[in-house]
Amino acid sequence: MSYDVGAVDRRRLLARTKAVTIVGASNNPARPSFFVATYLLSSSKYQVNFVNPRLDELLGQPVYPSLADVPGEVDLVSVFRKHDDLPGVAEEVVKAGARTLWLQLGLWHEPVADQAKEAGLDVVMNRCVKIEHARFAGGLHLAGFNTGVISSRRQSAP
């Protein structure tokens, strides 16, 4: 089974997404999940939800103890957890009825991807949802990257 999701498919996934739930969200500004949360809240149209059983609030938003506690639609789940936790997280993602399981940079787990795909989910591994969103929205320049997009108009967000 192929696990490398091409740029066209990643853009399609992000364009159809209405809500992003970050599992493993941290209130530590040095953690990647904090940076991603800050970016998504300020630079996207997504409903952003956070899951961490040790937090009550993050960036003025409520934090839920589990995916089952997140109100509304669980659409794309961006995972910031250690490798050994991924099978349990994948089970929660499937039970929550998510459409996409997105494993952040450094996370690659083929049995978890198989489990999610068999349940009908789209799976992205070893990619950062913030970087991918910014790439397609023309916003990588905000973090000092040259996107190579030459236009007098801002690109429409996915």
Side-chain angles (χ1 to χ4, degrees):
M1 201 178 278
S2 175
Y3 296 104
D4 189 24
V5 178
V8 171
D9 290 330
R10 290 191 311 272
R11 182 180 181 126
R12 177 186 55 80
L13 291 174
L14 291 172
R16 76 168 192 208
T17 296
K18 306 247 185 296
V20 174
T21 301
I22 298 176
V23 172
S26 173
N27 60 358
N28 179 345
R31 302 293 299 204
S33 64
F34 184 88
F35 184 68
V36 170
T38 302
Y39 170 83
L40 290 177
L41 286 171
S42 66
S43 300
S44 78
K45 295 179 182 178
Y46 301 133
Q47 166 64 44
V48 181
N49 298 302
F50 305 116
V51 173
N52 184 328
R54 293 176 293 192
L55 297 177
D56 294 322
E57 184 179 299
L58 177 62
L59 299 168
Q61 304 284 107
V63 179
Y64 302 97
S66 72
L67 273 172
D69 297 311
V70 174
E73 180 182 12
V74 176
D75 191 355
L76 184 150
V77 178
S78 178
V79 181
F80 289 87
R81 296 289 304 272
K82 64 184 180 211
H83 185 267
D84 292 343
D85 294 341
L86 297 179
V89 171
E91 286 179 26
E92 287 184 52
V93 171
V94 170
K95 285 180 188 172
R99 292 196 296 177
T100 305
L101 172 64
W102 191 295
L103 303 181
Q104 283 298 132
L105 285 173
L107 295 178
W108 188 274
H109 199 299
E110 292 181 13
V112 162
D114 288 341
Q115 176 185 358
K117 284 184 178 235
E118 286 172 15
L121 278 72
D122 291 304
V123 178
V124 177
M125 295 191 288
N126 194 32
R127 295 277 181 177
C128 175
V129 72
K130 180 260 178 256
I131 291 171
E132 296 302 311
H133 180 274
R135 175 190 328 271
F136 300 129
L140 280 178
H141 65 285
L142 298 173
F145 296 96
N146 179 357
T147 64
V149 175
I150 300 173
S151 175
S152 61
R153 303 174 120 184
R154 184 171 186 91
Q155 298 291 317
S156 62

